[in-house]
Amino acid sequence: MERSLIIIKPDAVNRDMAGRIIARFEEKGLKIIGMKMELLHPVKLKEHYSHLKDKPFYAELEKFMSSIPSILMVVEGKQAVEVVRKMVGPTQGRDANPGTIRGDFSVSNQSNIVHASDSADSAEKEIERFFRKEELHEYKKMNFEWIYSKDEKN
Ligand code: IDP
Ligand code: MG
């Protein structure tokens, strides 16, 4: 099963949306294997957003992302990275389709509620960046039998 990192960003925490966002991933059938609250440090953010460090909006992005704590989650499922990205929608909230998290809750290109890993490769790196091994939990969930068919369970 694949893993993906989700960050419920400061705008969502400020707007009391964390529970609703978490519920959407649970309802989809993704398994939460790690979750915590953390005030993201600018040093970590520089790594996490290294692809944006030369953009004119970077300083503002860092300020926003380190303004109050975020909620970080690792979810597991078949093709979890792609499934989560589809649920989240494109970066610009105004372009995101209704039904997606950004499409339902954001009208901004910065304050767009969640971060989601964009490939299996970056998911692995991001999970390592934000979670210690012992913060990730392997466990059997009762609903597993009802979420996947027999041939999907690997
Ligand atoms: P993604 O979150 O959809 O993967 P990225 O291009 O990786 O999009 O950008 C990371 C984050 O940087 C975005 O989610 C958003 O918060 C912020 N961001 C991206 N583009 C802009 C912009 O043009 N202005 C302000 N913030 C931006
Ligand atoms: Mg990205």
Side-chain angles (χ1 to χ4, degrees), residues 9 49 51-52 57 61 85 91 102 109-110 112:
K9 296 183 179 186
Y49 286 138
H51 60 297
L52 302 172
F57 59 81
L61 174 63
R85 286 291 284 198
T91 311
R102 288 170 172 168
N109 60 2
Q110 178 192 264
N112 56 9

